[in-house]
Amino acid sequence: MGKATTCFWEGESASSQAKYKKMRGAKYVPDRAAEKLEKLTGLHPSKEQHQMIAQTNHWAVGIKAGIVYSLFKRQNRKVATGHGLLFGAAFSALFDEGLTSLVGLAEPPQKYQWQAHARGLFGHLVYGVIADTVFNLLEHPKLY
């Protein structure tokens, strides 16, 4: 997902990138989540440790979402519509467009320019397809 969004980011204009950086205050959602966790636990990590906490938390959210996807997919194959695209779109809507701003990790969705929404959706669509592919590989390894 990260490589997909980075590729999308690199295709954006310098003015679009500058507007996004200014709006979010140079902090990504994983950084803001790590700061909240550090404050809650009383931790005072180094910059490198903070980055590790942020990345670990970000990956943990993705792993948990993948587990939830696999459980739902086993119950109802329609969940896999579009080979994970539906899941990726739902994940984007629930997290990027909803939950992160509700818990104070991101600005309200209307504050972001369209490129940020498109980039996030694209990344989550890629994530959904990869999650579905991994699920299929684990469930039917002989087919691949």
Side-chain angles (χ1 to χ4, degrees):
M1 180 177 158
K3 291 203 184 275
T5 56
T6 297
C7 193
F8 200 106
W9 172 261
E10 290 171 352
E12 290 182 37
S13 69
S15 65
S16 174
Q17 291 178 356
K19 286 178 189 175
Y20 179 75
K21 288 177 183 178
K22 183 178 179 183
M23 190 276 308
R24 68 172 171 76
K27 291 183 183 177
Y28 290 106
V29 168
D31 290 316
R32 291 177 176 183
E35 286 175 355
K36 283 191 175 225
L37 181 62
E38 292 157 9
K39 187 175 181 180
L40 190 68
T41 59
L43 293 174
H44 302 285
S46 67
K47 185 176 180 179
E48 185 177 282
Q49 290 169 326
H50 168 80
Q51 289 173 336
M52 288 173 48
I53 292 168
Q55 190 63 41
T56 300
N57 185 51
H58 189 70
W59 286 6
V61 169
I63 290 167
K64 290 174 190 174
I67 290 168
V68 168
Y69 173 67
S70 70
L71 294 173
F72 280 126
K73 184 176 173 176
R74 283 186 174 212
Q75 296 298 314
N76 184 348
R77 293 293 178 173
K78 290 181 182 178
V79 170
T81 299
H83 301 286
L85 289 173
L86 179 64
F87 165 64
F91 189 24
S92 179
L94 290 171
F95 279 82
D96 277 9
E97 304 296 332
L99 188 62
T100 56
S101 65
L102 284 175
V103 298
L105 298 177
E107 304 304 321
Q110 62 273 21
K111 291 214 174 196
Y112 291 89
Q113 55 202 44
W114 72 268
Q115 293 94 332
H117 296 285
R119 184 176 55 252
L121 176 60
F122 178 68
H124 283 94
L125 291 175
V126 169
Y127 171 81
V129 170
I130 291 171
D132 188 67
T133 301
V134 169
F135 178 87
N136 290 336
L137 284 169
L138 293 172
E139 190 173 46
H140 306 289
K142 292 183 181 180
L143 293 178
Y144 296 91

